[in-house]
Amino acid sequence: EAQVTQNPRYLITVTGKKLTVTCSQNMNHEYMSWYRQDPGLGLRQIYYSMNVEVTDKGDVPEGYKVSRKEKRNFPLILESPSPNQTSLYFCASSPQSGGPEPLHFGNGTRLTVT
Amino acid sequence: AQSVTQLGSHVSVSEGALVLLRCNYSSSVPPYLFWYVQYPNQGLQLLLKYTTGATLVKGINGFEAEFKKSETSFHLTKPSAHMSDAAEYFCAAFSSGTYKYIFGTGTRLKVLA
């Protein structure tokens, strides 16, 4: 089944403890992206990648890191999480770097930082 | 900067009534436009998309949207609401100039029995 898989679905952590949210897609998509969803703010892009080893900042990249060593994987790293990073995170992928193909989304990771 | 505006963060309709969710975009060049639906505890699913060609786009679950360049709008409609339509709906635009997808803030649809 074609899908974007995020893990974990739920994560509770403490301020400053490094964490990684994994994202993997099995559709051979070039484009991958991370979003955070907050009430009243919709989805805001954190980072995106147009292909392997090519990443770029989105609208809210502060406090996050990503890497794209393989086409299928695009992990999101929080080196020192803070409470303002408590949010619902989505990974998404798309078959074309140039668009306009729609995004395929994972089921989300709900992160709580205390 | 390109933006997507969804009017009404919450919309309530009676079962069987018309659903109208509004979306306006700002762009000097018409972008590619999408509507997504999000059910509780799930990711976003594509409802429909407009790229080029016919301005009335039909999607899944009986939804459709009309691209109106003169009004910079892409409103989502469904003739008759069903209880299962209760969800949050997001309008999004893709800009080929910046290679970015931009989302509206979402509209939560409530369907009343």
Side-chain angles (χ1 to χ4, degrees):
Chain A
E1 180 188 352
Q3 59 186 2
V4 178
T5 304
Q6 292 179 234
N7 281 297
R9 289 293 308 274
Y10 301 92
L11 180 58
I12 301 174
T13 190
V14 297
T15 300
K17 185 175 182 182
K18 181 179 178 179
L19 66 91
T20 299
V21 183
T22 63
C23 174
S24 181
Q25 51 92 4
N26 62 1
M27 296 169 280
N28 202 36
H29 287 172
E30 291 96 349
Y31 185 100
M32 297 187 74
S33 184
W34 276 102
Y35 297 86
R36 60 178 289 173
Q37 182 181 10
D38 301 289
L41 298 178
L43 275 78
R44 294 179 292 168
Q45 190 178 51
I46 303 171
Y47 270 94
Y48 67 99
S49 169
M50 295 177 73
N51 215 322
V52 176
E53 302 292 0
V54 180
T55 63
D56 210 344
K57 296 177 180 178
D59 297 315
V60 289
E62 295 77 20
Y64 304 96
K65 284 176 58 177
V66 293
S67 68
R68 187 93 183 271
K69 294 185 171 62
E70 307 163 283
K71 199 171 190 178
R72 64 183 292 125
N73 295 324
F74 191 46
L76 179 69
I77 303 158
L78 284 71
E79 296 263 356
S80 183
S82 63
N84 64 13
Q85 293 178 297
T86 292
S87 187
L88 179 58
Y89 292 86
F90 287 102
C91 180
S93 70
S94 173
Q96 290 179 268
S97 295
E101 296 300 317
L103 291 166
H104 298 250
F105 283 85
N107 282 330
T109 296
R110 187 168 293 281
L111 172 66
T112 302
V113 184
T114 61
Chain B
Q2 189 173 6
S3 64
V4 173
T5 302
Q6 291 183 241
L7 286 176
S9 57
H10 292 81
V11 170
S12 294
V13 299
S14 298
E15 191 173 20
L18 172 72
V19 175
L20 171 61
L21 304 182
R22 300 178 187 274
C23 173
N24 288 87
Y25 67 92
S26 67
S27 176
S28 59
V29 176
Y32 303 100
L33 297 162
F34 308 87
W35 274 101
Y36 290 88
V37 60
Q38 184 182 31
Y39 298 105
N41 297 318
Q42 294 186 25
L44 281 70
Q45 303 171 33
L46 181 70
L47 270 180
L48 49 81
K49 67 177 181 180
Y50 169 79
T51 53
T52 57
T55 56
L56 182 62
V57 181
K58 295 187 184 299
I60 62 172
N61 300 339
F63 283 94
E64 61 182 37
E66 186 172 10
F67 171 67
K68 291 187 176 180
K69 182 179 178 180
S70 61
E71 299 177 8
T72 60
S73 69
F74 191 56
H75 301 332
L76 182 71
T77 60
K78 182 174 180 177
S80 177
H82 191 272
M83 297 298 288
S84 60
D85 295 327
E88 189 157 21
Y89 292 80
F90 290 92
C91 182
F94 176 85
S95 171
S96 55
T98 59
Y99 297 101
K100 290 183 69 174
Y101 295 85
I102 299 166
F103 286 83
T105 53
T107 297
R108 188 169 297 278
L109 176 66
K110 187 175 182 179
V111 181
L112 307 171

